[in-house]
Amino acid sequence: MKVLLWHVHGSWTNAFVRGGHDYLLPAPPDGVGLAGRDWPAAREVHLSEVDADVAVVQRVEELSLVPSGIPVIYLEHNTPAKPNQRHPMADWPGLLVHVTHFNDLMWDCGTTRTTVVEHGVVDPGHLYTGELPRAAVVVNEPVRRGRVVGTDLLPRFEAVAPLDLYGMGTEELGGRGDHPLDSLHRELARRRLYLHPVRWTSLGLSLIEAMHVGMPVVALACTEVVRAVPPEAGVVSTDVDELARGMAALIADPALARENGKQAREFALARYGLDAFLRNWDRLLAEVSS
């Protein structure tokens, strides 16, 4: 079928457009099109020319851009700012899809029908070497987002081991900036562990990608992390001192890090594999478009 969607979250879209459909991404000025991505099943379109079977909308402002007569699924990527926050699509007669069970639990969606399709990731392969006794962190705009993404905690972890920060805006903190996905995965894989200091965001795909790569994880036990990272994959806790001790142990013991990373990869492949993700979306697309 023909699926209309906007290119909003690059990593999520990278998985979504691997299905067996024709993916239509609005070009400027109504969207960013492919934005330079090589997605063979996706193509840029002008909204005036769109003939789609279903639209996947990810922002409220996109609703008014969907051509008349095309059924809509609303996809919510984010956590609410507070647990009793009303969703902008509350009491809507359509289908609202969350990417984590935590988000589904915390948003007040009123009478709107909701479901969860957990993330899927294009497997980069088991790239882990861990030869550098350093921790990798991936976060966008750490200065602006501050405590939400744990920026204030970084000095406490840096006292244990050197940190390499990746993502948009990390240059402000001496980080390494944004990288193409393939390059990022190779860089992450050379670091001993993946650090996820995030307090309150939806489940970051960079965490799931790091697990696919085969990295052990040290993460705050917040939002969906307690479901996404099993104990054998590293250390998950709300006690920062406990995380620091776990981080020190992984830095000091490459064999332990490799074993935890192996477990992380096996878990990620089973829960966040691409096949299940695409099957679940196929089911919803068929249901809404029929």
Side-chain angles (χ1 to χ4, degrees):
M1 66 180 67
K2 295 178 181 178
V3 182
L4 173 66
L5 75 152
W6 278 257
H7 183 172
V8 177
H9 294 274
S11 292
W12 181 88
T13 309
N14 183 51
F16 185 73
V17 299
R18 306 291 172 142
H21 307 292
D22 185 10
Y23 301 94
L24 313 178
L25 280 64
D30 299 309
V32 299
L34 293 173
R37 297 297 187 103
D38 181 18
W39 291 328
R43 56 190 172 95
E44 295 186 3
V45 296
H46 296 286
L47 284 179
S48 60
E49 306 167 350
V50 165
D51 175 22
D53 299 297
V54 63
V56 176
V57 167
Q58 301 166 74
R59 297 170 295 193
V60 172
E61 56 266 31
E62 294 168 6
L63 286 168
S64 62
L65 299 176
V66 177
S68 177
I70 298 177
V72 173
I73 294 173
Y74 194 99
L75 172 64
E76 178 56 69
H77 289 276
N78 299 316
T79 52
K82 52 188 179 181
N84 62 342
Q85 184 176 348
R86 288 275 288 179
H87 195 277
M89 302 305 292
D91 301 329
W92 179 55
L95 174 64
L96 194 159
V97 179
H98 292 286
V99 297
T100 72
H101 291 278
F102 181 88
N103 293 358
D104 190 25
L105 176 69
M106 292 300 174
W107 276 110
D108 176 5
C109 296
T111 60
T112 301
R113 178 188 164 211
T114 68
T115 191
V116 176
V117 177
E118 294 187 293
H119 285 306
V121 169
V122 179
D123 181 19
H126 192 176
L127 306 176
Y128 181 72
T129 62
E131 76 255 30
L132 301 178
R134 308 172 69 89
V137 183
V138 180
V139 62
N140 289 326
E141 301 183 86
V143 174
R144 179 184 67 82
R145 298 168 75 192
R147 285 177 55 86
V148 169
V149 294
T151 304
D152 60 301
L153 300 175
L154 296 180
R156 294 177 66 176
F157 291 114
E158 199 159 27
V160 177
L163 305 182
D164 291 326
L165 307 182
Y166 298 89
M168 294 183 290
T170 54
E171 298 92 335
E172 295 182 62
L173 297 177
R176 296 168 180 263
D178 201 17
H179 282 56
L181 204 55
D182 290 347
S183 172
L184 176 64
H185 292 157
R186 290 192 297 271
E187 287 296 313
L188 294 180
R190 299 179 63 217
R191 274 71 192 171
R192 186 68 49 81
L193 62 95
Y194 185 84
L195 173 65
H196 189 69
V198 175
R199 283 186 175 90
W200 188 263
T201 72
S202 192
L203 182 61
L205 276 169
S206 56
L207 169 63
I208 304 304
E209 290 165 356
M211 292 170 67
H212 272 77
V213 163
M215 299 185 76
V217 172
V218 173
L220 284 178
C222 298
T223 64
E224 190 78 355
V225 168
V226 294
R227 177 176 168 84
V229 183
E232 59 271 20
V235 185
V236 176
S237 177
T238 54
D239 182 341
V240 177
D241 290 335
E242 182 180 355
L243 294 179
R245 291 192 295 272
M247 184 174 170
L250 290 167
I251 290 290
D253 190 342
L256 174 64
R258 280 194 300 273
E259 179 56 30
N260 284 177
K262 177 176 177 290
Q263 296 296 324
R265 175 170 167 78
E266 289 178 0
F267 186 88
L269 286 171
R271 172 156 290 172
Y272 301 107
L274 189 62
D275 289 347
F277 171 78
L278 293 175
R279 281 198 307 272
N280 287 330
W281 270 106
D282 281 349
R283 175 177 53 82
L284 293 182
L285 293 170
E287 174 191 325
V288 171
S289 64
S290 62

